[in-house]
Amino acid sequence: MSQPPPNVLSFASSDSSCGAGSQADIMTIASMGCHPLSVITALTVQDTSGVHDLLPLEPDWVERQTRTILNDIPVHAFKLGLLGSDAIINVIAEILLDYPDIPVVMDPVLASGRGDELTTEIMIKSIRKLLLPRVTLLTPNSLEARRLAFADEVDTASSHSHSLDACASRLLDTGCDFVLITGTHEHTAQVTNSLYTRGRLIRTDNWKRLPHSYHGSGCTLASAIAASIASGQTIIDSVIAAQSYTWGALSAGFQPGLGQYIPDRHFRNSIKEQTTCTQQNIEEQ
């Protein structure tokens, strides 16, 4: 009998367009050679243009889904996405405390690509207090990093002036081990992703900026990292592999509807695609 693949448990909302959310996690995790496990946190009404409505599940349903799976199947990594409500955040925090040895990758979904608010300020405070101390790797884009890092500032507009280095330092102070800030929303010629740990920048990766707007890129990156970690790779190697996979999926992306493009998570990297990144390894662990 062949060895079963590693198992990755995703907490995410359902997305009927299959561009983001649980469906995106499932496709990515499977494409990375792992077995996907899925806990639904919310139902959404969304398409490739944005999220039109959101219905969080009852917290008890989230807990029952999770504990039933955990009692049956060994989990090698958790991936957290859109969590739905403050009560669900509290339930997930309790579950993570019961499984301290399982690495956690979190994509802090605060808004949709077009700006639909998906997370309240109360939820952000709970994420900072209850989840980030348990997170192995946090993968915010630059907008999410600034909002999460300076959620306690009275003047929220001033948070936009903070450097990404300062944001990473504040996020690491909450207790998470690594922060990977993605640069898709920055006004730069290339997309620069920056990896931090222990209060310092240890790696940057520069990627060719693609011409389209994509639905589900953050889900894809975080799920690919979780799958790589579950497969036994180091954090740095997982970040490298997941970025390569995500860029390839985006570059092969397609537009199924009237809105954003969707990553093609079934693509296969070619040698040419793997060399489109300029890497600067600032400090090896």
Side-chain angles (χ1 to χ4, degrees):
M1 180 181 294
S2 62
Q3 186 74 15
N7 303 304
V8 179
L9 177 56
S10 158
F11 295 86
S13 66
S14 177
D15 173 9
S16 299
S17 77
C18 293
S22 180
Q23 289 89 334
D25 293 349
I26 289 169
M27 285 188 282
T28 300
I29 291 165
S31 295
M32 294 292 290
C34 293
H35 178 62
L37 306 167
S38 178
V39 169
I40 301 298
T41 58
L43 303 178
T44 65
V45 177
Q46 68 176 297
D47 52 24
T48 57
S49 67
V51 178
H52 305 283
D53 208 350
L54 184 148
L55 176 66
L57 265 65
E58 290 293 330
D60 179 61
W61 273 83
V62 174
E63 181 169 21
R64 288 172 60 196
Q65 288 180 80
T66 308
R67 294 200 182 276
T68 299
I69 287 295
L70 287 168
N71 288 335
D72 179 46
I73 301 173
V75 171
H76 301 92
F78 290 127
K79 184 267 178 180
L80 308 184
L82 176 60
L83 303 181
S85 72
D86 189 59
I88 291 174
I89 290 171
N90 279 266
V91 163
I92 293 174
E94 292 178 3
I95 292 168
L96 297 185
L97 287 174
D98 291 340
Y99 294 86
D101 297 329
I102 299 178
V104 179
V105 177
M106 183 173 188
D107 172 24
V109 181
L110 306 185
S112 72
R114 72 174 179 184
D116 308 297
E117 287 292 334
L118 303 174
T119 305
T120 66
E121 296 303 317
I122 291 175
M123 291 170 65
I124 289 176
K125 291 179 180 178
S126 293
I127 288 171
R128 285 172 52 89
K129 180 180 179 180
L130 301 176
L131 296 183
L132 294 194
R134 182 61 185 84
V135 167
T136 308
L137 174 64
L138 184 70
T139 65
N141 60 43
S142 57
L143 302 180
E144 293 164 339
R146 290 187 172 100
R147 189 172 171 190
L148 271 176
F150 294 94
D152 54 351
E153 291 213 346
V154 176
D155 182 7
T156 55
S158 68
S159 67
H160 298 291
S161 64
H162 292 293
S163 71
L164 296 183
D165 288 350
C167 293
S169 179
R170 289 280 293 259
L171 292 170
L172 289 167
D173 285 345
T174 66
C176 56
D177 296 328
F178 291 84
V179 176
L180 175 67
I181 301 180
T182 60
T184 305
H185 292 81
E186 297 297 282
H187 300 293
T188 53
Q190 292 183 304
V191 174
T192 299
N193 299 333
S194 304
L195 180 65
Y196 300 82
T197 189
R198 299 172 189 166
R200 64 188 186 276
L201 177 68
I202 62 169
R203 181 182 182 86
T204 61
D205 294 292
N206 300 310
W207 296 90
K208 177 182 177 182
R209 188 173 289 278
L210 297 168
H212 306 295
S213 174
Y214 296 90
H215 180 48
S217 57
C219 304
T220 304
L221 177 62
S223 294
I225 293 173
S228 295
I229 293 173
S231 298
Q233 296 192 55
T234 67
I235 297 293
I236 291 178
D237 287 344
S238 295
V239 167
I240 294 170
Q243 286 182 92
S244 179
Y245 171 85
T246 301
W247 193 92
L250 294 175
S251 66
F254 56 96
Q255 188 179 27
L258 302 177
Q260 294 176 299
Y261 278 62
I262 286 179
D264 181 0
R265 300 173 179 95
H266 301 296
F267 87 104
R268 289 295 180 265
N269 279 343
S270 67
I271 294 176
K272 180 179 179 181
E273 288 168 336
Q274 292 183 26
T275 60
T276 56
C277 169
T278 303
Q279 299 173 350
Q280 180 184 359
N281 200 4
I282 295 174
E283 183 176 344
E284 290 289 356
Q285 291 299 290

